[in-house]
């Protein structure tokens, strides 16, 4: 009981969490110049390392990285689980403290998760964890360099996906965008499972007999599509979802990533139906090891 109370305090009631405020002067990485320069540096560094390794090593044999990939997967799994727990407890606390103000608008807790009221400011518990989620996207992007060094492969989808993830999580904070709480909860839940599975494989344990990462990706994408329709419906009915302009832009970017992933997914199954089940399973396992399949928000 004492342990649960301590966790609740440090994840949702600590003064640093309750008093958080997104500010261009006080929050690290909160300016537009930092956002664009960091994404440009990420893309440039990825391309530079990729071409440098191709120049230095003519062969394409994997380069050993020791425990680094396993350590990164474990770190991301723990961070994702922490953000999920903090976001869940903070959302419950915010609903408890502010639901009295929803009586006039007849807003339910689920509607609040999908649609912030107009005038919502990026401060308080849920935005603290949104900020931590934004910072974790930079640690998540390090996986690209691990993949480049280990397999000598640079995927446009990987660069595009990670860059968009950083950009979208910045928009959530900058415009107090609706739907971000559910998006963070869904994404961190899936990421904690996916990265836990990758850690399991990295330490030499047996992989699943089905495309585990692909299935997790499809579950996440499906939930995102349903929630996006929920936000649109609430905005049409109530007409007062905060940050709807950023949400529309976010939806366009999500649609682009959804198209790229479905294109890969269809090609994978089309080829699998032609080459047989065993070779399809082997191809999926190889794709997951080479990071061709990415979890996303």
């Amino acid at each position: 009981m004492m342990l649960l109370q301590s966790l609740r305090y440090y994840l949702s009631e600590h003064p640093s969490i309750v008093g958080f405020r997104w500010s261009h002067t006080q929050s690290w990485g909160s300016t537009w110049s930092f956002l664009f320069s960091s994404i440009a540096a990420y893309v440039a560094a990825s391309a530079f390392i990729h071409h440098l390794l191709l120049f230095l090593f003519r062969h394409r044999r994997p380069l050993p990285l020791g425990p680094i990939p396993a350590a990164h997967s474990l770190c991301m799994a723990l961070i994702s689980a922490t953000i999920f727990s903090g976001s869940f407890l903070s959302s419950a606390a915010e609903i408890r403290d502010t639901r009295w103000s929803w009586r006039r608008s007849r807003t339910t807790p689920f509607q609040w998760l999908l649609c912030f009221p107009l005038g919502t400011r990026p401060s308080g518990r849920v935005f603290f964890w949104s900020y931590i989620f934004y910072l974790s996207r930079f640690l998540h992007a390090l996986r690209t360099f691990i993949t480049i060094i280990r397999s000598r492969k640079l995927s446009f989808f990987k660069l595009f996906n990670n860059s968009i993830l950083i950009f979208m999580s910045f928009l959530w904070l900058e415009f107090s965008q609706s739907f971000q709480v559910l998006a963070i909860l869904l994404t961190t839940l899936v990421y904690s499972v996916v990265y836990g599975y990758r850690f399991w494989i990295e330490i030499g344990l047996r992989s699943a007999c089905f495309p585990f990462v692909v299935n997790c990706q499809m579950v996440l994408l499906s939930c995102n599509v349903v929630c996006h329709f929920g936000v649109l419906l609430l905005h049409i009915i109530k007409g007062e979802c905060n940050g709807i302009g950023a949400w529309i832009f976010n939806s366009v970017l999500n649609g682009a990533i959804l198209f790229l992933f479905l294109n890969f997914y269809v090609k994978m199954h089309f080829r699998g139906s032609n080459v047989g089940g065993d070779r399809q399973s082997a191809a999926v396992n190889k794709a997951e090891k080479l990071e061709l399949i990415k979890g996303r928000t």
Side-chain angles (χ1 to χ4, degrees):
M1 192 68 177
M2 289 295 295
L3 178 60
L4 292 177
Q5 291 179 351
S6 298
L7 287 175
R8 184 177 293 108
Y9 172 78
Y10 285 108
L11 292 177
S12 64
E13 301 295 343
H14 193 276
S16 299
I17 297 177
V18 178
F20 171 79
R21 180 174 178 270
W22 170 256
S23 170
H24 288 179
T25 58
Q26 298 178 1
S27 305
W28 184 83
S30 60
T31 62
W32 287 95
S33 59
F34 175 86
L35 174 68
F36 289 116
S37 60
S38 61
I39 292 176
Y42 161 68
V43 174
S46 299
F48 174 76
I49 294 175
H50 174 65
H51 290 291
L52 179 64
L53 290 176
L54 289 179
F55 176 77
L56 295 177
F57 302 96
R58 298 298 180 180
H59 62 79
R60 287 184 173 268
R61 291 192 297 270
L63 294 178
L65 289 176
I68 295 178
H72 180 267
S73 295
L74 179 61
C75 183
M76 284 303 303
L78 294 176
I79 290 175
S80 297
T82 302
I83 296 175
F84 173 81
S85 301
S87 298
F88 182 82
L89 293 173
S90 295
S91 299
E94 287 292 335
I95 291 172
R96 179 199 65 207
D97 294 344
T98 60
R99 67 184 310 168
W100 62 270
S101 63
W102 304 344
R103 295 174 182 174
R104 184 173 299 177
S105 60
R106 298 180 180 179
T107 301
T108 65
F110 184 70
Q111 289 176 338
W112 177 80
L113 290 173
L114 284 174
C115 176
F116 285 154
L118 287 177
T120 299
R121 302 298 181 186
S123 61
R125 299 179 180 92
V126 295
F127 287 99
F128 171 84
W129 288 109
S130 181
Y131 178 58
I132 299 300
F133 180 83
Y134 164 63
L135 296 181
S136 72
R137 297 309 86 202
F138 295 98
L139 181 60
H140 169 73
L142 292 179
R143 191 81 184 184
T144 303
F145 303 112
I146 295 175
T147 304
I148 293 173
I149 296 173
R150 186 159 65 172
S151 63
R152 234 71 52 74
K153 290 184 179 296
L154 180 61
S155 169
F156 167 77
F157 175 64
K158 183 188 300 295
L159 290 178
F160 181 76
N161 185 42
N162 287 337
S163 299
I164 292 305
L165 282 175
I166 295 172
F167 190 76
M168 288 193 302
S169 55
F170 179 90
L171 292 182
W172 292 350
L173 289 158
E174 185 69 14
F175 297 100
S176 303
Q177 183 189 309
S178 297
F179 172 60
Q180 63 178 281
V181 176
L182 272 182
I184 291 172
L185 288 172
L186 292 171
T187 302
T188 51
L189 178 61
V190 171
Y191 267 59
S192 61
V193 174
V194 167
Y195 273 103
Y197 171 74
R198 285 174 174 165
F199 172 73
W200 176 274
I201 295 177
E202 293 288 354
I203 62 176
L205 298 177
R206 186 177 180 180
S207 61
C209 58
F210 60 94
F212 182 83
V213 177
V214 177
N215 288 346
C216 289
Q217 174 77 327
M218 287 303 299
V219 170
L220 180 58
L221 287 172
S222 300
C223 292
N224 277 334
V225 170
V226 172
C227 290
H228 273 286
F229 276 110
V231 174
L232 180 61
L233 184 62
L234 280 175
H235 182 70
I236 292 175
I237 294 175
K238 300 178 64 177
E240 52 184 22
C241 289
N242 199 71
I244 196 65
W247 174 84
I248 293 173
F249 186 67
N250 194 331
S251 299
V252 173
L253 297 177
N254 270 307
I257 293 179
L258 177 62
F259 172 79
L260 291 174
F261 178 80
L262 290 178
N263 184 51
F264 166 79
Y265 188 79
V266 170
K267 286 182 178 179
M268 182 189 71
H269 281 272
F270 178 75
R271 291 171 183 172
S273 63
N274 290 334
V275 301
D278 293 338
R279 291 181 64 183
Q280 179 188 13
S281 178
V284 170
N285 289 333
K286 182 180 179 181
E288 292 184 356
K289 289 180 181 179
L290 294 179
E291 304 297 325
L292 298 178
I293 304 169
K294 293 292 294 177
R296 65 165 304 280
T297 62

